[in-house]
Amino acid sequence: MQVQLNKQLISSRLKNVYDGWRNASQNDEYGSIADAEALLLLSGDPAGEDEPVRKGTAFQTWLLGYEFPSTLLLFQKDKLLILCSASKAKFLHQIKEGNPPVPVEILVQAKAKEPPSGALPKFVEAFTSFKRVGSLVKEMCTGKLMTEWEQGVSKADNKPELVDMAPALSAFMAVKDEEEMKCIRTAANLTSTLLVHHIVLKLEMILDKEAKITHEQFATQIEARLGSGEGEVAKGPDMKVWSKGRGLNDVDWASTEFCYSPIIQSRSTTTGYDLRSTAESSSDTIAHKGVFLIAVGMRYKGYCANLGRSIIVDPSKEQEAIYNLLLSMQSEMLKEIKDGVSAREVYQRALDIVKKEKPELEKNFVKNAGFGTGVEFRDSAYLLSSKNSKRLKTDMVLNLSLGFSDLLDDNGKKYALHIVDTIRVGADRSTLLTEGAKSTKDTLFFLNPENEIEVEEDKPSKPSKKAPVKPLVNGSPVKNKTVGGKVLRNKTRSAAQEEVLMTAAAKIKEHQQQLHEGLQSAGLAKYSEGASGGGEKEGKTWKRFQSYKGESALPREVESLRICVDRKAQTIVLPVHGFAVPFHINTIKNVSKNDEGDYTYLRINFQTPGQLAGKKDDTPFEDPDSTFIRSVTYRSSDGHRFDTISKQITDLKKEVNKREQQKKEMADVIEQDVLLEIKGRRAHKLPEVFVRPALDGKRLPGEVEIHQNGLRYQSPMGSQKIDVLFTNIKHLFFQPCDKELMVIVHIHLRAPIMIGKKKAHDIQFFREASDVQFDETGNRKRKHRYGDEDEIEMEQQERKRRQMLNKEFKLFAERVAEAASTSMGETLEVDIPFRELSFEGVPFRTNVRLQPTTECLVHLIDPPFLVVTLNEIEIASLERVQFSLKQFDLVLIFKDFTKAPLHINSIPSGQLDDVKNWLDSVDIPLGEGPVNLNWGPIMKTINESPYDFFQQGGWRSFLGGGDADSDADVGSDSESEFEADPEELQSEESSADASEYDGSDASDDSGSGSGYDDDSDDGDDWEELERKAAKSDSKRAAEAKGTRGDSESDDDRPKKKKVAAKPKTNGKSKKR
């Protein structure tokens, strides 16, 4: 059941109705129904959105909690008769379960296609059996049911006399219980929050900028704070506004709406000022001086709250005095309005204050000082006028409206002033439910002509202050010295530049020498003699595995003593001397098949110690000294079966390897703790942002919320979310959209998390800065503009939009950092990339712009993202640094030697000095060389014994960092140990990679299956030795020729395209 009625509340209110009806003769408030034998409440089709809520609908909502259209209620002295459709009857049956004061009988109308039931005639018969019935005689209901009802009554012989029960219904609903007060308080808080945190601020901005906007447009913008649009383009409530209100944490936004379209009036309103709640915002442009009247009312779960304010720009003394009178009058009226006071006395007291303070304004005072409110926005039964004798009671809610109309200003123009608030009647005095923007400092704006002049003079002075800054950033002061507008170009200038460069190079060299000395001493202190770097050998351990727990678990196929592949147990069962012997797939290295004559040979090679198998030669064994089976060979005349078995074993091996690789990749993924949602206030949000890595489904913007111990990204449909705890945030970046297409808040995690089915080290929230929604074909402006005015205006709007985006995202990033620092007790700072220090390179597969930050080197524009923490870098190696090359490479070696070095390739040689200066400025030691090094074997050797590496001179001798000239002789020996010909190292690496895969082992797969000749791989053949000897001779010859050897060795590299084909005709060498 979708709708749950509050049965106890309905029974309680039904009891109040029947008690009031029975005692109506003793209570004037219910006097209108004292003689009524029954009460009839009609409800037809729902009213339109623009129509006010009818009293009958309000009473039905108050009584039942919901509006039930096309439903008739007949209150009889002994029972309650309800006529409705079958669907509504399902919900209304709940009333019977709440112990109502009288029996409830429900008559169900037949559906359209069903034969008519006797429900309506029975209801008409019950109605016409009475002589005097209370009803809402002034309300006209429409709809199919109402037509049938009128036809049924017209045919009846006896028609009862109808009396108006509207005053009695108002009395029933006037005093509010606690549930009603809770809804009204929320409505009042919503209204006050909207006024203070949006309407007044927006109006101030309009006045300050003298923006051209109509009253109607302003009212529409106010309404949009509750959301706008439908379907996929729908926008929710503007939480930037609502989050600032108090007590609005658990608001049901679906039950929140405006009582009427907000009313904005200024002196440019052609129809003049209107203090009635039925006034409308006109389509006239808002004036920028004079009196502004604001009225706004909001409804929450059916209950209304309303307020109105007057804002005066450049007020006269008279206007200021009248406004102060309204303030003092409201304060006095709050004391007067209390339990037992009549509505007439309230109005008379307000009029007395006007007569006493400003008797000339008596004729301008409003004709009533407010009205009762609640489910019905304006209950005229409790109108605060001079003719209403109704008495007020505790817990009634009134709309106190004080104002003056048709006032004349100094220029003879009419204006009006009002102050409207929702109040609660108390035993001794009333209290305000709405508040804000009422004191003179908030509502009276005084113009100061001198300040306006100063502001106008300051505006052009701002760019003049920034003008001299730009040359200093982009170039040295020497370059910008001019005489007669011409740049000085002479030898003195060149000499000065060279001197500056030489001085900078000397400083870098001296600083690098200190860094290398510190790195060497730290390495010796860190690694004791015999200690390893924690490489792969330490990480690998003997892994136990078990195929079956007993013979009973073996598959049935083994009974035939044939080779069986059991994928479920990851086992191959082999027949050996009449026994079925299982071998786990991890014990098998590979399988090979050869055909010889009429027979096919299947050879299964096992993992054994002592094999030269590339990267797997250090696979650990439980007892390497045990006796191992190297291989097993089977012969069969059924070659097709051996093909199938070979394929099954190979596929199973690949599947297991793939599963192990996936498990290894997911080993560092963590499962975060539970995100604690913030309570007591609305969480700070960044709306309309996209996330990367993207979630499944359609690409739609969501919102990011800051909670107690982390962040939460919520997809627009609410179906998917991403939680990031503050404890898992390693770096927080904000990248503005200056010279970029998007503005970014980027989070680099300490440990990866799973997003969907992917592992993520980085999470990025971004919004595109470009505006694609503009008209390129021209518009009305082009009729009056000749030139580039519209393009200039668009550029200005683009700049403003980018500035607002940067401000919004930076503020959110700072809030994240503040919340994280508060939560963890550790400082998390927002890191912003320095674009002026950026350089281009290829860290993955494409050329990107890499930007340094205070703590990192990052690329955040496109995935895959790059975030390198600077304090984790051991040393940087600059490779392919040669005069003849246009590009060089940068290799970053990490302090954790088990981590693969990061290669950033193809950096333009023109940025070499910039990269060197930046690396030196962040205290990263440098090494420099003319060729690329094969870092795989190098790091493996270092990991085996870091102590020996640092004992032999460490990085300084190996890479020639620091004082390279003086240490050249010392470092030559260590270089010869690690440096090799790039082509040779490349071939060794490729062969090692190939041997890792099970299908490419030459020692086991080649040959005819006799194959115990594996030792033949231990040495090179004669052709290989001849090739290496020739290569060694050519290398010695190249070294003897001096520098020419370097250029030739580089020309042999495959990375050079056209130049590599003709190394002797290098154009750059000719220019030299």
Side-chain angles (χ1 to χ4, degrees):
M1 191 174 290
Q2 294 180 351
V3 177
Q4 288 291 333
L5 302 182
N6 192 333
K7 294 168 285 190
Q8 285 73 25
L9 187 63
I10 293 173
S11 297
S12 172
R13 291 181 179 174
L14 265 177
K15 187 177 183 302
N16 291 340
V17 171
Y18 275 95
D19 289 345
W21 186 15
R22 292 183 182 118
N23 301 322
S25 58
Q26 302 172 11
N27 192 331
D28 293 341
E29 289 183 334
Y30 309 123
S32 59
I33 60 174
D35 299 331
E37 299 173 2
L39 305 177
L40 176 65
L41 187 66
L42 302 176
S43 176
D45 289 346
E49 291 184 1
D50 298 332
E51 295 181 29
V53 177
R54 301 190 185 112
K55 189 176 290 292
T57 305
F59 184 73
Q60 190 189 78
T61 306
W62 171 80
L63 182 63
L64 303 177
Y66 294 91
E67 178 184 352
F68 287 88
S70 301
T71 303
L72 311 183
L73 281 75
L74 184 64
F75 296 84
Q76 304 176 35
K77 293 284 186 180
D78 55 347
K79 69 177 179 179
L80 171 62
L81 192 62
I82 302 175
L83 175 69
C84 62
S85 64
S87 58
K88 297 185 182 71
K90 293 178 182 178
F91 306 126
L92 294 174
H93 268 294
Q94 299 175 56
I95 302 175
K96 297 180 179 180
E97 302 169 6
N99 192 22
V102 292
V104 177
E105 182 181 351
I106 299 176
L107 304 178
V108 180
Q109 276 278 79
K111 293 182 179 179
K113 296 181 180 180
E114 295 178 355
S117 64
L120 184 60
K122 188 175 180 181
F123 194 90
V124 172
E125 183 183 352
F127 170 69
T128 55
S129 65
F130 299 104
K131 294 182 179 180
R132 191 179 180 88
V133 177
S135 179
L136 297 171
V137 294
K138 295 181 181 179
E139 283 192 5
M140 298 297 294
C141 298
T142 58
K144 181 182 176 183
L145 178 62
M146 298 309 302
T147 303
E148 294 176 357
W149 162 256
E150 289 171 1
Q151 291 174 355
V153 172
S154 63
K155 295 177 183 178
D157 296 332
N158 299 319
K159 297 177 185 176
E161 179 188 352
L162 298 180
V163 295
D164 190 8
M165 65 176 183
L169 297 192
S170 296
F172 288 134
M173 297 187 291
V175 177
K176 308 297 187 289
D177 56 32
E178 190 53 40
E179 283 294 320
E180 293 177 288
M181 288 305 306
K182 191 182 296 184
C183 295
I184 293 175
R185 282 193 207 97
T186 303
N189 289 339
L190 286 166
T191 313
S192 302
T193 301
L194 184 64
L195 173 77
V196 175
H197 297 291
H198 179 72
I199 298 176
V200 172
L201 297 179
K202 185 77 175 178
L203 182 60
E204 287 179 8
M205 188 175 70
I206 291 171
L207 299 176
D208 186 44
K209 296 183 178 181
E210 296 187 354
K212 292 183 178 180
I213 183 173
T214 67
H215 304 90
E216 191 177 12
Q217 288 172 339
F218 188 20
T220 304
Q221 290 180 6
I222 296 170
E223 283 187 288
R225 296 315 101 196
L226 267 186
S228 60
E230 294 181 356
E232 294 183 356
V233 296
K235 292 185 178 179
D238 185 359
M239 299 314 300
K240 290 181 185 176
V241 175
W242 305 117
S243 60
K244 297 173 184 175
R246 57 182 177 84
L248 303 181
N249 298 321
D250 302 319
V251 169
D252 179 7
W253 296 106
S255 303
T256 307
E257 58 182 337
F258 284 91
C259 298
Y260 53 86
S261 181
I263 303 170
I264 308 295
Q265 301 176 68
S266 70
R267 69 181 184 183
S268 61
T269 303
T270 51
T271 55
Y273 292 99
D274 188 350
L275 298 183
R276 294 175 297 175
S277 58
T278 54
E280 294 182 354
S281 301
S282 70
S283 56
D284 306 304
T285 304
I286 293 179
H288 298 118
K289 283 186 70 176
V291 176
F292 299 84
L293 297 186
I294 300 167
V296 61
M298 299 198 72
R299 179 182 283 112
Y300 182 70
K301 292 185 178 180
Y303 288 86
C304 304
N306 186 50
L307 60 74
R309 294 291 182 266
S310 301
I311 292 178
I312 314 174
V313 176
D314 197 19
S316 63
K317 294 290 184 182
E318 178 69 13
Q319 289 173 335
E320 194 174 347
I322 296 173
Y323 186 77
N324 285 325
L325 172 62
L326 285 174
L327 288 177
S328 61
M329 190 190 306
Q330 188 193 62
S331 178
E332 187 65 28
M333 295 308 297
L334 291 175
K335 299 176 185 176
E336 294 293 329
I337 299 174
K338 55 189 175 182
D339 185 43
V341 177
S342 68
R344 181 192 302 158
E345 292 172 349
V346 171
Y347 181 80
Q348 192 59 45
R349 176 57 184 152
L351 197 60
D352 290 344
I353 295 174
V354 175
K355 290 178 181 178
K356 180 181 178 183
E357 299 294 334
K358 283 190 174 292
E360 69 275 11
L361 296 181
E362 182 183 351
K363 63 181 185 299
N364 303 105
F365 189 59
V366 288
K367 302 306 177 187
N368 64 76
F371 45 79
T373 189
V375 180
E376 192 178 8
F377 174 72
R378 185 178 187 273
D379 190 349
S380 56
Y382 289 91
L383 197 66
L384 301 180
S385 66
S386 58
K387 298 177 182 180
N388 192 356
S389 59
K390 286 279 183 83
R391 297 206 169 268
L392 306 180
K393 292 183 178 180
T394 303
D395 287 337
M396 282 186 177
V397 176
L398 304 176
N399 184 59
L400 180 62
S401 177
L402 304 173
F404 297 96
S405 59
D406 295 332
L407 299 169
L408 295 177
D409 61 11
D410 297 339
N411 298 322
K413 292 184 178 181
K414 289 185 178 181
Y415 70 95
L417 294 174
H418 73 163
I419 292 179
V420 183
D421 274 300
T422 304
I423 65 171
R424 177 183 182 179
V425 179
D428 300 323
R429 59 168 295 152
S430 297
T431 54
L432 287 170
L433 295 176
T434 53
E435 56 187 359
K438 191 162 48 179
S439 65
T440 53
K441 68 175 183 178
D442 295 325
T443 57
L444 304 185
F445 298 161
F446 298 89
L447 297 179
N448 190 343
E450 295 179 3
N451 289 347
E452 282 185 316
I453 296 170
E454 288 177 9
V455 170
E456 290 175 1
E457 289 176 353
D458 285 347
K459 285 181 181 177
S461 69
K462 288 183 180 178
S464 64
K465 291 180 181 178
K466 294 182 179 178
V469 177
K470 292 184 179 178
L472 295 176
V473 173
N474 296 332
S476 63
V478 178
K479 291 183 181 179
N480 292 289
K481 287 185 179 179
T482 58
V483 173
K486 296 181 180 180
V487 180
L488 296 175
R489 299 184 181 275
N490 50 37
K491 292 183 180 179
T492 308
R493 177 173 172 269
S494 302
Q497 282 184 334
E498 289 177 8
E499 186 178 349
V500 169
L501 293 174
M502 290 296 290
T503 306
K507 288 181 179 179
I508 290 176
K509 186 175 181 180
E510 182 181 353
H511 186 223
Q512 283 296 313
Q513 190 171 352
Q514 296 174 0
L515 291 176
H516 276 272
E517 288 174 358
L519 188 63
Q520 175 68 10
S521 58
L524 290 172
K526 183 177 179 181
Y527 299 104
S528 59
E529 187 171 359
S532 68
E536 294 179 6
K537 205 164 187 177
E538 276 191 3
K540 288 190 175 182
T541 57
W542 169 251
K543 185 172 66 175
R544 289 185 170 273
F545 38 81
Q546 185 179 23
S547 296
Y548 306 104
K549 292 184 178 181
E551 292 182 11
S552 59
L554 287 167
R556 291 183 179 180
E557 290 83 353
V558 303
E559 294 176 359
S560 60
L561 289 179
R562 301 177 75 187
I563 298 175
C564 172
V565 179
D566 188 355
R567 295 180 67 86
K568 186 176 180 182
Q570 299 181 2
T571 298
I572 289 85
V573 184
L574 303 177
V576 180
H577 298 299
F579 293 95
V581 183
F583 291 89
H584 197 276
I585 191 65
N586 287 339
T587 64
I588 296 174
K589 185 177 182 183
N590 55 29
V591 61
S592 63
K593 182 183 70 65
N594 293 308
D595 296 323
E596 291 186 7
D598 296 335
Y599 294 99
T600 299
Y601 291 85
L602 182 71
R603 182 179 178 184
I604 300 172
N605 301 301
F606 296 99
Q607 300 279 9
T608 58
Q611 292 180 345
L612 295 177
K615 292 183 178 179
K616 290 192 175 181
D617 59 350
D618 56 352
T619 301
F621 290 86
E622 189 174 22
D623 184 8
D625 297 328
S626 300
T627 302
F628 288 84
I629 300 174
R630 193 76 175 269
S631 64
V632 173
T633 304
Y634 291 88
R635 187 183 73 171
S636 174
S637 58
D638 188 356
H640 180 70
R641 172 167 167 75
F642 272 14
D643 280 341
T644 305
I645 292 173
S646 175
K647 187 176 185 303
Q648 287 177 344
I649 296 174
T650 304
D651 291 345
L652 181 58
K653 185 71 178 172
K654 288 180 179 178
E655 184 181 323
V656 171
N657 287 342
K658 184 179 179 181
R659 194 179 297 121
E660 288 182 356
Q661 185 66 25
Q662 290 176 346
K663 188 176 179 181
K664 185 178 179 181
E665 287 179 1
M666 298 299 173
D668 55 347
V669 175
I670 64 166
E671 187 173 345
Q672 299 183 115
D673 292 335
V674 179
L675 182 77
L676 301 177
E677 295 187 22
I678 200 159
K679 295 181 180 179
R681 65 173 177 83
R682 180 66 62 178
H684 293 299
K685 293 184 180 180
L686 182 63
E688 297 292 319
V689 293
F690 296 94
V691 65
R692 290 193 290 198
L695 296 172
D696 297 335
K698 192 173 181 181
R699 182 177 179 267
L700 293 172
E703 60 182 14
V704 195
E705 301 175 345
I706 304 175
H707 286 283
Q708 195 170 333
N709 64 335
L711 302 176
R712 169 168 289 172
Y713 174 82
Q714 194 84 23
S715 66
M717 305 306 293
S719 57
Q720 301 181 77
K721 62 184 180 182
I722 301 174
D723 291 346
V724 181
L725 298 189
F726 292 139
T727 52
N728 198 26
I729 296 179
K730 187 175 183 180
H731 297 294
L732 175 63
F733 302 100
F734 160 67
Q735 181 165 309
C737 54
D738 302 332
K739 299 183 181 179
E740 298 290 354
L741 295 177
M742 57 182 68
V743 57
I744 294 169
V745 170
H746 187 97
I747 295 172
H748 183 64
L749 304 175
R750 297 181 186 274
I753 61 174
M754 293 300 294
I755 297 179
K757 296 180 181 179
K758 296 181 181 179
K759 181 172 77 169
H761 285 87
D762 298 86
I763 296 176
Q764 184 179 104
F765 308 111
F766 70 96
R767 193 185 298 167
E768 293 175 354
S770 59
D771 184 13
V772 296
Q773 297 178 355
F774 60 86
D775 184 12
E776 293 183 344
T777 62
N779 50 31
R780 284 180 294 177
K781 294 179 181 178
R782 287 193 177 272
K783 295 180 181 178
H784 312 289
R785 292 184 175 181
Y786 305 93
D788 297 334
E789 291 92 342
D790 48 353
E791 283 85 356
I792 293 171
E793 183 179 344
M794 287 170 60
E795 290 176 5
Q796 291 173 345
Q797 291 175 355
E798 178 78 10
R799 280 196 293 270
K800 288 180 181 178
R801 185 168 55 253
R802 286 176 176 267
Q803 289 172 359
M804 291 175 66
L805 278 175
N806 288 341
K807 184 178 179 181
E808 181 182 0
F809 271 66
K810 186 177 182 182
L811 178 62
F812 183 79
E814 289 172 349
R815 283 177 172 171
V816 172
E818 182 182 354
S821 302
T822 305
S823 175
M824 298 186 299
E826 302 174 5
T827 304
L828 177 68
E829 295 183 353
V830 181
D831 223 350
I832 303 176
F834 302 117
R835 188 177 176 87
E836 60 271 17
L837 299 178
S838 64
F839 57 91
E840 293 182 351
V842 185
F844 303 111
R845 295 192 177 189
T846 56
N847 189 41
V848 299
R849 180 178 294 277
L850 302 164
Q851 303 185 77
T853 70
T854 306
E855 299 178 352
C856 302
L857 176 67
V858 299
H859 163 64
L860 307 177
I861 297 297
D862 298 307
F865 306 118
L866 177 70
V867 178
V868 183
T869 307
L870 299 181
N871 60 14
E872 294 179 359
I873 298 175
E874 175 92 350
I875 192 168
S877 173
L878 303 173
E879 301 180 349
R880 290 200 303 132
V881 180
Q882 297 186 39
F883 180 75
S884 60
L885 298 181
K886 294 182 180 180
Q887 295 173 327
F888 69 97
D889 301 333
L890 171 63
V891 181
L892 301 176
I893 298 94
F894 298 98
K895 293 178 180 178
D896 180 6
F897 290 160
T898 61
K899 194 175 179 181
L902 174 67
H903 294 256
I904 301 174
N905 301 322
S906 304
I907 304 173
S909 297
Q911 294 183 304
L912 177 62
D913 291 337
D914 296 334
V915 173
K916 279 186 176 179
N917 289 334
W918 167 66
L919 289 170
D920 184 70
S921 67
V922 293
D923 296 336
I924 294 178
L926 294 173
E928 191 174 321
V931 297
N932 289 106
L933 301 179
N934 192 350
W935 284 98
I938 291 171
M939 295 309 298
K940 184 176 179 181
T941 306
I942 294 174
N943 269 315
E944 287 175 353
S945 181
Y947 178 77
D948 291 343
F949 172 70
F950 283 103
Q951 277 292 101
Q952 294 170 9
W955 298 110
R956 185 175 178 184
S957 61
F958 175 48
L959 293 176
D963 191 0
D965 298 333
S966 61
D967 293 346
D969 297 334
V970 179
S972 61
D973 295 335
S974 61
E975 283 182 25
S976 64
E977 181 181 350
F978 289 102
E979 283 191 17
D981 184 77
E983 184 179 336
E984 185 178 339
L985 289 172
Q986 191 70 25
S987 65
E988 287 179 9
E989 186 179 18
S990 62
S991 65
D993 292 342
S995 64
E996 185 178 1
Y997 300 100
D998 36 24
S1000 61
D1001 190 340
S1003 65
D1004 291 324
D1005 289 349
S1006 60
S1008 61
S1010 58
Y1012 290 96
D1013 54 349
D1014 299 310
D1015 295 333
S1016 63
D1017 278 12
D1018 292 345
D1020 295 325
D1021 57 12
W1022 282 108
E1023 291 180 1
E1024 183 70 9
L1025 291 172
E1026 285 285 348
R1027 191 182 69 80
K1028 288 186 177 179
K1031 194 165 185 111
S1032 178
D1033 291 340
S1034 63
K1035 189 174 181 180
R1036 287 198 195 96
E1039 288 174 355
K1041 291 179 183 179
T1043 58
R1044 184 182 172 188
D1046 290 337
S1047 62
E1048 286 181 351
S1049 66
D1050 187 78
D1051 291 339
D1052 290 336
R1053 290 181 51 79
K1055 290 187 179 179
K1056 298 295 286 181
K1057 294 179 182 177
K1058 294 182 180 179
V1059 180
K1062 298 178 181 180
K1064 293 183 180 179
T1065 59
N1066 191 329
K1068 293 211 170 185
S1069 61
K1070 287 182 180 180
K1071 289 181 183 179
R1072 217 186 293 177

